Structures are given as C-alpha cells and as structure tokens.
Amino acid sequence: MEIKIRDCGPVSVLEVHGRLTIGESSEQLHGALESVIRKGARKVVVVLNGVPQIDSSGISTLVRISIQLAREGGTLRLVCGHGRVRDALTVTRLIEAIPAFESESAALANFA
C-alpha cells in the first residue's frame, strides 16, 4: 500500500492506494494519520479512490482516527467514489458517521 501525504492549505490530505485490510496496510494508514495529527493537523481528508478493497480493520482505523480528531477539536472527511469501498462504508453505516464525498474538491469545500 502507498500513502501520499500533502497539505492543501490548512487541510492534510492522505491519498491511499492499495488494499486497506487487516495487518500492515491498516497499521500503515493508522501510523500516517497519527503522524499528521501529532504535527497539528485538525482537518484531515482521506482519499480512498485508489483503494479497491476495505475490511473491518480498515474501517476500524478510520473510526478510531475520526474519534481521536473529534476529541482534539478536529474533523475527518473521506473521498470515495462509487464501488466496493463505498458499498462497505454504506453497509457498515460509517458513511453516516464520517462525511464522505465524491471528489476531493467537494471534501475540501466542506471545511470552508
């Protein structure tokens, strides 16, 4: 799995490519998210368009980080187009807890 981190103004954007499943990939995403939070990020967007598959471990990682950010006065937004990952987020109702957008620009605009 590959994670590209960049700043878009006051928002940290993590672009994820590869399967987000139990084991190393979920731990890698959690570590990357922890890193941006430690550096002071309070507005975070995770782009999941490059993720072909997500399991309960990947979903758990997103939930934990969302809760952590909320406790520190921050917010998490997801970018996820149509497909298996959006279906998984919908079935688990995560999409109701963490706002998900079709495009990165829509997610960034949501912070304005």
Side-chain angles (χ1 to χ4, degrees):
M1 184 173 71
E2 180 183 353
I3 301 172
K4 294 179 183 174
I5 302 172
R6 58 189 158 76
D7 290 326
C8 200
V11 181
S12 291
V13 178
L14 286 81
E15 195 172 328
V16 183
H17 295 276
R19 293 174 44 176
L20 187 50
T21 55
I22 193 166
E24 186 178 332
S25 61
S26 288
E27 292 168 14
Q28 186 179 355
L29 177 59
H30 189 266
L33 286 163
E34 283 278 339
S35 174
V36 297
I37 292 170
R38 273 194 309 272
K39 291 178 183 174
R42 293 298 173 257
K43 296 178 181 179
V44 180
V45 172
V46 177
V47 181
L48 299 171
N49 289 337
V51 176
Q53 180 183 3
I54 190 169
D55 69 3
S56 60
S57 181
I59 289 170
S60 174
T61 297
L62 295 172
V63 169
R64 285 183 294 156
I65 291 298
S66 177
I67 291 168
Q68 180 180 348
L69 270 169
R71 285 183 183 150
E72 297 180 22
T75 51
L76 177 66
R77 300 290 184 256
L78 303 176
V79 176
C80 184
H82 294 285
R84 293 175 72 182
V85 173
R86 183 172 273 277
D87 291 346
L89 298 178
T90 302
V91 167
T92 59
R93 299 178 72 163
L94 183 62
I95 214 157
E96 296 171 18
I98 304 173
F101 300 87
E102 294 280 328
S103 69
E104 183 178 324
S105 58
L108 292 171
N110 183 260
F111 285 116

